[in-house]
Amino acid sequence: MPGQLNPGVYVEEVSSTIFGASTSETAFVDFFADGPFNEARRVESFVEFEEVFGGLHQHSEASYAIRQYFLNGGAVAWVVRLASDHEPESPDWIAHAGAESILGEFGEGRGMYALEGCGFNILCLPAAANLSANNVKRVYEAAAKFCDAERAFLIIDVPPDIDTRE
């Protein structure tokens, strides 16, 4: 029964359930040793990541990030392997692929846009740390806009030569 607080004002409590949004689906976009190119693949364990994407690679920071993600209780990872004519055989391999591999084409499902509609909550772009200052800025601006549209957080590594205090 509603209780009367003031004349003409009644308060009635209604029981309801509010369901929270999942925060356990993180997306990683980078270069990996194996796996399909420009396809968002749902991975539920590091073993599955090893089977599909080849596991750890010394020049793929995201492969190590994915291992840490699952070791620390991560549940679902969305993984996108970027297409490149160059395999990651040296620390500067991303310079050959450039920002275009990460950016892909909006609406064409390449690069980070392969994640459209997947329902990820966090987007990680560790390869951005190997880009030039101009390219990392382009990637950051596009990724921030994409994450805003997907209602997700963005985690991006910046190159060590950029002064982040400004």
Side-chain angles (χ1 to χ4, degrees):
M1 167 162 244
Q4 185 175 2
L5 298 176
N6 293 313
V9 178
Y10 296 90
V11 174
E12 183 177 351
E13 292 187 24
V14 179
S15 70
S16 65
T17 305
I18 299 173
F19 296 99
S22 171
T23 58
S24 60
E25 297 191 19
T26 301
F28 298 88
V29 178
D30 207 332
F31 294 86
F32 302 102
D34 293 314
F37 289 114
N38 290 311
E39 177 185 319
R41 181 67 70 91
R42 182 183 168 106
V43 176
E44 296 182 3
S45 70
F46 187 70
V47 171
E48 186 178 355
F49 171 76
E50 288 178 309
E51 290 170 357
V52 176
F53 293 97
L56 298 176
H57 190 285
Q58 66 179 349
H59 300 301
S60 173
E61 292 182 42
S63 65
Y64 290 91
I66 291 169
R67 181 178 71 169
Q68 292 300 317
Y69 174 74
F70 285 115
L71 285 174
N72 287 292
V76 174
W78 288 93
V79 181
V80 176
R81 180 183 182 205
L82 298 174
S84 172
D85 294 334
H86 304 275
E87 289 301 314
E89 297 301 327
S90 66
D92 62 336
W93 55 269
I94 195 162
H96 298 290
E100 281 66 29
S101 293
I102 296 172
L103 294 173
E105 288 285 327
F106 183 74
E108 293 187 19
R110 293 196 313 250
M112 67 181 173
Y113 298 111
L115 293 161
E116 286 181 275
C118 287
F120 66 95
N121 308 101
I122 301 170
L123 174 60
C124 298
L125 300 173
N130 298 313
L131 296 172
S132 69
N134 288 340
N135 281 334
V136 79
K137 183 179 179 189
R138 286 180 42 225
V139 168
Y140 171 76
E141 289 171 352
K145 184 176 178 181
F146 179 58
C147 284
D148 187 46
E150 294 288 324
R151 299 186 51 82
F153 288 96
L154 173 62
I155 298 176
I156 187 167
D157 291 336
V158 296
D161 59 340
I162 291 179
D163 186 0
T164 58
R165 295 174 291 174
E166 294 179 3

